[in-house]
Amino acid sequence: MVTLLLGIIGFSFTACEKDKDIPVYYLPIYPNLYLVGDATPAGWDINNPSPMVVDATDPFTFTWTGQLTAGQFKIPTAKGNWGCDFFMPVVDGETDLTKTTLSLVKGGNPDKKWVITNATAGNYTITINIKDETAYSIKFVKK
């Protein structure tokens, strides 16, 4: 059996000499996601952002549970690099946490952030699914 892993483009191919079919598995391009911003416990420290946890059964689903305070945040795909790709709200300054859409911003520009107000601050579970690049989703559940 031969396995070729092309993580850069997000595909894995496995084949056996006797098999005529080659199964193709789509792998996530972003194996880690984080929260950064003054609304999060990490503040604006890109070197030490708050990590999201990848679902053990679905590598495209990430969750984070914790306290969000009044302020702003966004979701980097890497530590230590303000020029990395970010998941961000569709509109800068988004305060409506019932909206489930988000966008992938290559290189983090243009910069957009979610805004947590005094009224919406609290303990949340945030769930993100990045499997379908035409329909990335985010869900905020206040505890």
Side-chain angles (χ1 to χ4, degrees):
M1 181 182 299
V2 176
T3 299
L4 174 62
L5 179 62
L6 301 172
I8 281 255
I9 58 174
F11 290 96
S12 172
F13 300 93
T14 302
C16 294
E17 289 181 26
K18 296 178 184 179
D19 288 344
K20 293 182 182 181
D21 296 326
I22 299 174
V24 177
Y25 304 97
Y26 180 68
L27 301 173
I29 294 173
Y30 303 107
N32 300 297
L33 296 180
Y34 306 90
L35 272 67
V36 67
D38 56 353
T40 73
W44 288 109
D45 185 356
I46 193 67
N47 294 310
N48 192 28
S50 298
M52 297 190 81
V53 177
V54 65
D55 186 299
T57 62
D58 181 358
F60 300 95
T61 300
F62 297 81
T63 59
W64 176 85
T65 299
Q67 187 72 27
L68 292 176
T69 58
Q72 301 176 330
F73 79 96
K74 53 188 175 179
I75 301 168
T77 60
K79 290 182 179 183
N81 180 3
W82 285 112
C84 72
D85 298 340
F86 282 80
F87 286 95
M88 299 179 179
V90 175
V91 176
D92 186 35
E94 183 62 72
T95 58
D96 184 352
L97 301 182
T98 65
K99 292 189 176 177
T100 60
T101 57
L102 71 159
S103 59
L104 176 64
V105 179
K106 297 286 190 173
N109 191 15
D111 191 19
K112 299 180 274 184
K113 302 171 199 79
W114 284 276
V115 175
I116 304 300
T117 65
N118 286 329
T120 59
N123 192 30
Y124 283 87
T125 294
I126 300 172
T127 304
I128 296 177
N129 187 290
I130 61 170
K131 186 170 189 173
D132 182 357
E133 65 187 45
T134 64
Y136 295 129
S137 66
I138 188 166
K139 183 177 181 181
F140 294 87
V141 177
K142 194 170 186 179
K143 303 288 180 176

